[in-house]
Amino acid sequence: MNRAPELARLVRFYENIERASVRAQLTQIYAPDAQFKDPFNEVCGIEPIIGIFVHMFAQVEQPRFVVTSTVLQGDEAFLTWEFLFRMKRFSKAPQCIRGATRIRFDAGGAVVIHRDYWDAAEELYEKLPLIGSVMRWLKRAANN
């Protein structure tokens, strides 16, 4: 089955994500028993997934995803993206996390598996005060 329409809907959701509609949209795109994993979370079920996005809006300002490429094969998709935001604490400077996501659609076209891949050390921890300097030092030490 061609999942191009479902993938396009998913990309539109992420590129236009809004706090006010995140719950309604997630319940239309993700299966009730969907699995979600990223460097900080591993959950199963739509309510915990919604909770991750609610928490995102509580932690950062102006979150926005830019999907830079997609690959679709059967019921599986792979997306690369940039997550743009400003931290509410620490630094108000614009931030960018680059990563990728593996998606699997179920027979009805809903997302049943969502797995994010990104380097939390490089993309996030190194940008934080205090811990950032420690992470950069560790990185330099490991490369020597």
Side-chain angles (χ1 to χ4, degrees):
M1 175 148 227
N2 180 6
R3 294 292 178 214
E6 289 88 351
L7 179 57
R9 178 177 68 168
L10 182 69
V11 169
R12 270 192 316 275
F13 163 70
Y14 277 102
E15 289 191 332
N16 298 288
I17 197 164
E18 293 180 344
R19 178 191 308 256
S21 62
V22 73
R23 172 179 284 280
Q25 290 186 305
L26 284 169
T27 59
Q28 296 298 309
I29 296 170
Y30 285 74
D33 61 346
Q35 298 174 32
F36 180 102
K37 183 173 174 136
D38 69 11
F40 299 113
N41 305 281
E42 185 169 3
V43 299
C44 183
I46 192 64
E47 287 304 320
I49 293 170
I50 291 169
I52 290 168
F53 286 88
V54 168
H55 183 260
M56 174 193 73
F57 280 105
Q59 296 297 312
V60 302
E61 295 176 343
Q62 302 169 335
R64 185 170 70 92
F65 290 89
V66 176
V67 176
T68 55
S69 69
T70 62
V71 176
L72 178 63
Q73 183 173 6
D75 288 336
E76 302 226 5
F78 190 79
L79 301 80
T80 57
W81 44 261
E82 294 179 348
F83 176 49
L84 308 167
F85 63 98
R86 292 178 188 270
M87 293 182 189
K88 288 189 175 180
R89 302 178 309 187
F90 308 118
S91 169
K92 296 290 185 184
Q95 303 293 322
C96 178
I97 293 175
R98 290 171 185 83
T101 301
R102 178 181 160 257
I103 296 290
R104 181 179 298 152
F105 297 100
D106 67 12
V111 173
V112 70
I113 295 176
H114 175 134
R115 172 74 190 263
D116 283 346
Y117 299 93
W118 56 276
D119 184 345
E122 179 180 348
E123 299 289 343
L124 184 61
Y125 295 144
E126 286 185 14
K127 299 173 183 177
L128 297 174
L130 298 177
I131 195 169
S133 59
V134 171
M135 295 301 294
R136 290 186 297 275
W137 178 83
L138 287 170
K139 187 176 183 178
R140 282 190 306 272
N143 288 329
N144 289 331

